[in-house]
Amino acid sequence: MIRISPSLLSADLYKLGEDVERAVDAGIDMLHVDVMDGHFVPNISMGIPIVKWLRKHTDVELDVHLMITDPDTYAPRFAKAGADIVTVHVEATDNLDRVLSSIKENGARCGVTLNPSTPLEDIRSALPMVDMVLIMSVNPGYGGQSYIDHSTEKIKKLKGMIDELGLDIPIEVDGGITPDNVHEVVEAGASIVVAGSSVFSINDRDIEGNVKRLRDAF
Ligand code: DX5
Ligand code: ZN
């Protein structure tokens, strides 16, 4: 089953609840929450209170992507705030195992991710511990960027690595996903697709139609 996880980064934050409900009614599977601290990436987005309020009002699976320099401190707090899955960047911590454990101890599933230029080898040892791997197909920091083509090869390689280890871990892909390229990433082995602008901004914010167009393009 292929799951769609639209990124709130491209939602109209003045109408946050409305956008979430429209996306949920359109049949999304998860909601991707992009957390940026202005240090790990050159942008600041949203934090723990947003996750708390989302949790209070919706049952949709909250897929929190931490683009922050201190996941050791904050990852468990996002788990406690109600995230279903918290994903941390391998580049951001020297204690990946400990961070992943702290997420689980606080009641969420854990994921690991890596920037486009970071080699897959850097996450190999963490694979047996994680519930998801997120492949960044743009350099993190902004929505609306173009898909980096060599990400497809990376997804295939990761799929091979996971199979080789006898594991069953879903691969999520994040950045520049559109109805034109979603088939390519799914074929390469991704089973969760993040889509920000192609769900919440294009086509005059036709959220329902955009979700459908993405799903029809698998
Ligand atoms: C990039 C974020 C992505 C991004 C996706 O830093 O992690 O989740 O918002 O947005 P689109 O789909 O517009 O590339
Ligand atoms: Zn993201």
Side-chain angles (χ1 to χ4, degrees), residues 3 12 45 58 70 110 113 127 136 177 181-182 201 209 215:
R3 287 179 278 171
D12 180 340
S45 59
T58 176
D70 187 4
C110 65
T113 185
L127 291 178
M136 287 307 300
I177 301 298
N181 60 20
V182 70
S201 355
R215 206 177 279 292

Side-chain angles (χ1 to χ4, degrees), residues 70-72 88 90 92-102 129:
D70 187 4
D72 300 49
V88 296
V90 65
T93 178
D94 291 328
N95 313 298
L96 185 59
D97 295 15
R98 193 161 70 201
V99 180
L100 296 172
S101 303
S102 74
M129 282 192 74

Side-chain angles (χ1 to χ4, degrees), residues 38-185:
H39 292 280
F40 185 73
V41 290
N43 201 3
I44 298 177
S45 59
M46 48 194 92
I48 293 168
I50 298 268
V51 172
K52 273 194 188 147
W53 280 103
L54 286 167
R55 183 71 306 147
K56 205 168 141 71
H57 289 285
T58 176
D59 291 333
V60 74
E61 198 167 314
L62 298 177
D63 167 30
V64 175
H65 175 194
L66 297 184
M67 290 162 275
I68 63 176
T69 46
D70 187 4
D72 300 49
T73 302
Y74 296 105
R77 291 184 55 190
F78 277 92
K80 219 181 261 171
D84 292 285
I85 179 154
V86 180
T87 297
V88 296
H89 271 265
V90 65
E91 302 88 355
T93 178
D94 291 328
N95 313 298
L96 185 59
D97 295 15
R98 193 161 70 201
V99 180
L100 296 172
S101 303
S102 74
I103 294 169
K104 290 186 179 174
E105 280 156 18
N106 283 281
R109 308 202 302 287
C110 65
V112 67
T113 185
L114 69 182
N115 286 339
S117 61
T118 303
L120 283 173
E121 272 317 309
D122 291 15
I123 59 159
R124 184 190 282 272
S125 65
L127 291 178
M129 282 192 74
V130 297
D131 300 296
M132 183 177 86
V133 179
L134 167 57
I135 293 286
M136 287 307 300
S137 45
V138 296
N139 286 292
Y142 302 95
Q145 303 180 77
S146 298
Y147 181 80
I148 296 175
D149 286 328
H150 64 72
S151 315
T152 308
E153 227 15 74
K154 205 170 182 184
I155 297 167
K156 283 185 193 158
K157 221 167 132 188
L158 172 63
K159 179 83 176 102
M161 205 182 236
I162 291 171
D163 290 349
E164 201 178 286
L165 291 167
L167 298 167
D168 182 18
I169 310 168
I171 300 174
E172 179 176 55
V173 61
D174 182 10
I177 301 298
T178 68
D180 290 333
N181 60 20
V182 70
H183 182 72
E184 176 181 325
V185 304

Side-chain angles (χ1 to χ4, degrees), residues 111 183 204 216:
H183 182 72
D204 237 354
D216 288 348

